[in-house]
Amino acid sequence: FGADTRYELRYPYSWPTRLNGKVASGCYGTIISRDAVLTAGNTACIRVVTKPCGTWRWRYITTYEEWTKNGSFSYDMAVVRYYPLNGRNIGTYLGYSGLRKTAPSSNYL
């Protein structure tokens, strides 16, 4: 794939950068509601870490059956719902982007 030219932002806690973060497994996700993160299905993340904001524990994970049974990368996505941390939901605390379909006939999100 070539050289990795990504770099870490020095001040990532402003809108909308703070909506995107590293999950425990090393992949990234995006906050889509007050308590949910959209991420890859293969991460099966246990927590989402947003230093220095804290670590939220997962409540449940929803993914496609095609991913869990067959590992089809066409369905490699998951929504992870989190418990509040110190009474604060992740999306309420950091903000969230929302989610919508791009086409009414789409089989994907």
Side-chain angles (χ1 to χ4, degrees):
F1 295 112
D4 186 352
T5 59
R6 296 177 294 176
Y7 59 93
E8 185 173 349
L9 295 173
R10 296 196 62 156
Y11 303 101
Y13 304 108
S14 61
W15 180 270
T17 309
R18 68 177 177 226
L19 304 182
N20 304 298
K22 193 177 224 182
V23 293
S25 61
C27 289
Y28 288 81
T30 300
I31 304 170
I32 58 169
S33 77
R34 67 182 187 87
D35 67 345
V37 171
L38 177 66
T39 186
N42 67 47
T43 63
C45 52
I46 297 172
R47 63 187 187 272
V48 63
V49 179
T50 56
K51 295 176 183 175
C53 301
T55 302
W56 279 261
R57 290 184 316 116
W58 66 276
R59 214 168 27 163
Y60 62 89
I61 299 169
T62 304
T63 189
Y64 288 99
E65 185 175 340
E66 192 64 29
W67 170 250
T68 58
K69 287 189 174 181
N70 302 317
S72 171
F73 282 99
S74 295
Y75 296 90
D76 181 17
M77 61 182 97
V79 173
V80 183
R81 305 286 299 266
Y82 293 92
Y83 288 109
L85 172 66
N86 300 325
R88 296 181 298 194
N89 285 305
I90 188 170
T92 305
Y93 183 60
L94 296 172
Y96 56 91
S97 62
L99 181 68
R100 68 184 172 121
K101 284 182 143 183
T102 56
S105 62
S106 174
N107 291 328
Y108 301 101
L109 292 175

